[in-house]
Amino acid sequence: MALTPQDVSRIANLARLELSPAEQASLLGELNGFFAIVEQMRAVDTAGVAPLYTPLSAIQEVTLRLREDAVTEPDNREANQKSAPAVEAGLFLVPRVIE
């Protein structure tokens, strides 16, 4: 997939960028280079390859260092809602803004 100068102009317009013709030409080359890399990556057969959570796990055994999923903060809901103008069933009530 190759972009045209018109595509770059449209992208710049959507992004609210004012690009000079030289900048547009440079950006066109960079974007087309990016898409060329994406096409090369798509051409690689990845069937049967398990996803990695870290690149290091491809070359060595990596143990996840996960912390225990435990509550460490007390429940301060009532204290936090004392200054609220309106609360119902533990929820902040706000004015309706969509009719």
Side-chain angles (χ1 to χ4, degrees), residues 1-96:
M1 173 183 161
L3 296 177
T4 65
Q6 292 78 20
D7 294 328
V8 174
S9 295
R10 183 168 184 269
I11 292 168
N13 182 41
L14 291 171
R16 305 291 191 254
L17 298 175
E18 290 184 28
L19 300 176
S20 69
E23 290 173 322
Q24 285 186 5
S26 173
L27 187 59
L28 177 63
E30 290 178 26
L31 288 173
N32 281 333
F34 170 76
F35 285 123
I37 292 171
V38 170
E39 289 302 319
Q40 286 179 342
M41 293 185 337
R42 282 187 183 165
V44 175
D45 181 21
T46 58
V49 177
L52 303 174
Y53 58 88
T54 176
L56 290 176
S57 62
I59 58 173
Q60 67 187 30
E61 186 66 31
V62 178
T63 312
L64 288 176
R65 298 179 303 218
L66 300 176
R67 64 175 173 80
E68 182 182 347
D69 189 15
V71 176
T72 59
E73 299 285 329
D75 180 13
N76 293 325
R77 178 183 285 178
E78 289 182 23
N80 292 335
Q81 291 181 337
K82 278 185 180 177
S83 62
V87 176
E88 182 179 304
L91 304 173
F92 292 96
L93 296 179
V94 295
R96 186 175 183 166

